[in-house]
Amino acid sequence: MRLFRFLLYLSLFALCLACKQKPSDSDTNLSTNTYREYYSAATGKKGAELKTALFGIIGNPDIVSYAEIWSAFEKTDVKADGSVWDMYSDNPSGEIIYSFSFHHKKCGTYRSEGDCYNREHTIPQSWFKGASPMYSDLFHIYPTDGYVNNRRGNLPLGEVGIFSWKSANGSRIGQNTSGNFTQTVFEPIDEYKGDFARTYFYMVTAYESNVASWESPQVGGNTYPAIKNWALEMFLRWHREDPVSTKERDRNQAVFGIQKNRNPFIDHPELAEHVWGNKKNQPFNLK
């Protein structure tokens, strides 16, 4: 009898310890019901109100330190062959001239493409003055070729006519031809334009309380729409023409395992239409 009680107490003690532990990455897989609950506050809302509701859901993520980004990339940006998934050098429709290993070629110094990879702020940090938590939010930090990243600098994303420089995978720098913005921009390849558009949608939503103070020719200056008109039209077009990929879904899940928040515009691409697009006057409802 005493042995039975001892084993019972031991089991209860172990159970209590398990309850107090922080959920592991594997615990962050959402069930269907939990998934609906995650976005339930967005139901029935539209336009600016919907964007604010999403901010309430995905804001205040569990950001890691900037130094930890390197190891996080091994979960968020790994290709099937184990190499780094770099959208500035990858070429899904053609020859991949070079690739990076996670344990080699971290920048470092560089003189040309393929020398090393680093941590690219898709929303240039100068636009938000390098402030936290934006500074190390994984949803807009990608591993990219250091040389290409440097060539991009803090240029807005855009569409180029006559280009002044072109990377090995076809990314280009030149004068913008989209909308009424005619300054120099950086254009990623078509295969990843939707990825970048949804990244921008996430950032201006997750940091709705900060974005009005950002200064750039592309985002900031107000809470809604938070994206300049010329860029918003372009991003919505990129979003439609380059639908959500398996790569994005997998990355969304991996970042969720780290930051405990999600990119809703990957989970529900139609949200972009209800916030900014052709359904912004129609309430969003979970399917």
Side-chain angles (χ1 to χ4, degrees):
M1 188 67 179
R2 288 179 179 178
L3 177 61
F4 173 77
R5 288 178 180 176
F6 173 76
L7 292 175
L8 178 61
Y9 292 152
L10 185 61
S11 299
L12 290 174
F13 178 70
L15 181 61
C16 289
L17 284 179
C19 291
K20 292 179 181 180
Q21 291 176 351
K22 187 175 181 179
S24 65
D25 290 355
S26 61
D27 294 329
T28 57
N29 290 312
L30 296 178
S31 67
T32 301
N33 289 336
T34 305
Y35 186 81
R36 291 186 65 84
E37 291 174 5
Y38 186 82
Y39 288 112
S40 61
T43 299
K45 299 185 173 60
K46 59 186 178 181
E49 183 185 19
L50 175 57
K51 180 172 175 290
T52 299
L54 292 171
F55 165 62
I57 297 170
I58 67 174
N60 194 33
D62 188 7
I63 298 298
V64 299
S65 71
Y66 192 59
E68 292 175 290
I69 296 291
W70 290 119
S71 58
F73 282 160
E74 297 183 41
K75 294 181 179 179
T76 62
D77 294 274
V78 57
K79 300 186 78 171
D81 63 1
S83 63
V84 177
W85 202 321
D86 167 19
M87 294 189 288
Y88 285 0
S89 63
D90 185 51
N91 188 5
S93 59
E95 180 184 4
I96 299 176
I97 299 175
Y98 61 87
S99 61
F100 299 112
S101 166
F102 284 105
H103 302 292
H104 300 89
K105 291 194 173 183
K106 293 178 183 177
C107 294
T109 59
Y110 46 82
R111 293 183 179 180
S112 60
E113 287 189 63
D115 284 351
C116 61
Y117 76 97
N118 61 10
R119 297 159 291 184
E120 157 78 321
H121 290 85
T122 306
I123 304 282
Q125 56 180 302
S126 62
W127 294 3
F128 55 83
K129 299 179 176 62
S132 294
M134 292 80 68
Y135 183 70
S136 56
D137 189 314
L138 272 165
F139 272 118
H140 88 120
I141 301 178
Y142 296 96
T144 60
D145 181 281
Y147 183 81
V148 181
N149 184 7
N150 184 61
R151 292 298 300 254
R152 189 240 165 150
N154 64 353
L155 292 175
L157 300 182
E159 295 176 327
V160 174
I162 299 174
F163 61 88
S164 58
W165 180 81
K166 185 177 181 179
S167 74
N169 85 331
S171 300
R172 304 186 296 173
I173 292 175
Q175 185 177 14
N176 186 58
T177 60
S178 181
N180 60 1
F181 185 76
T182 58
Q183 296 182 32
T184 303
V185 297
F186 178 88
E187 180 179 6
I189 60 174
D190 291 345
E191 285 84 350
Y192 293 121
K193 284 178 176 174
D195 303 54
F196 287 115
R198 287 178 281 275
T199 297
Y200 272 60
F201 292 159
Y202 163 86
M203 286 297 289
V204 300
T205 302
Y207 298 103
E208 182 172 278
S209 59
N210 304 86
V211 68
S213 65
W214 298 0
E215 298 178 2
S216 81
Q218 191 146 56
V219 297
N222 54 45
T223 300
Y224 181 86
I227 304 174
K228 311 297 183 185
N229 288 336
W230 73 268
L232 181 56
E233 293 177 6
M234 179 186 71
F235 284 149
L236 284 169
R237 178 160 42 81
W238 288 6
H239 172 66
R240 294 162 186 154
E241 293 176 354
D242 176 31
V244 174
S245 63
T246 300
K247 172 193 184 299
E248 288 178 90
R249 294 189 187 95
D250 290 345
R251 190 177 200 275
N252 193 23
Q253 187 63 32
V255 176
F256 179 54
I258 299 169
Q259 294 191 172
K260 307 303 184 286
N261 74 332
R262 306 182 68 83
N263 184 335
F265 305 101
I266 293 174
D267 286 332
H268 292 283
E270 68 274 20
L271 276 167
E273 303 293 351
H274 288 277
V275 174
W276 296 284
N278 53 30
K279 295 182 179 179
K280 64 182 179 182
N281 294 319
Q282 301 177 31
F284 166 75
N285 289 293
L286 285 170
K287 294 179 181 179

